[in-house]
Amino acid sequence: KDALAKANLATDNLFDVCVSNGAFCLVPDKHKAFENVFNALRPGGRMAISTTTVSDPKQLDPSFEWPVCVKMFANLDELQAMCEGIGFKNVKIIDAESPLEGMELPADEVADNADSADKRFKIHGKYSDQYEFLQNMDMDELCKVVTVYGEKPKV
């Protein structure tokens, strides 16, 4: 398991607010990470964790080798129940409506090979043919950027 998910983030009941903008999507053990946040918050404390999720894991065709980042994204349908099971109250999953499509590099900026110093190149699909299938995927359908909001109950 990853040290980040196992780490004691802080002394229990120390913080009023926990905010994360994007780091949680790559934490392998989401449950442990949210538990650490819960424990670090004082009673009445709040969290706002922005993360990328997989909308429907059934869309991850097992015949493809998915990039590790996609495999590590949380299942959107499980986030609320997981946070409530940890003890958070008033849990809300807010869709950021942040499109992932349209973030592609313009064609005239894409290098044909890694030796091109004046152009950029794509990570997925450029280094390895195994990710070429991503070029035809609707990433807005597959993934959602959300903010997970929750409160630690007051004692």
Side-chain angles (χ1 to χ4, degrees), residues 70-126:
V70 174
K71 291 191 281 189
M72 292 179 72
F73 292 163
N75 179 343
L76 179 60
D77 293 337
E78 296 174 356
L79 274 176
Q80 183 157 352
M82 178 177 51
C83 290
E84 289 170 347
I86 290 168
F88 284 103
K89 302 295 178 202
N90 300 320
V91 176
K92 296 180 180 107
I93 310 296
I94 302 162
D95 187 340
E97 297 182 20
S98 179
L100 299 172
E101 293 293 328
M103 298 174 83
E104 295 294 324
L105 297 172
D108 63 339
E109 292 183 28
V110 177
D112 292 330
N113 60 57
D115 297 329
S116 239
D118 62 333
K119 293 191 177 195
R120 301 182 289 170
F121 48 94
K122 298 177 184 181
I123 294 172
H124 303 309
K126 194 62 181 176

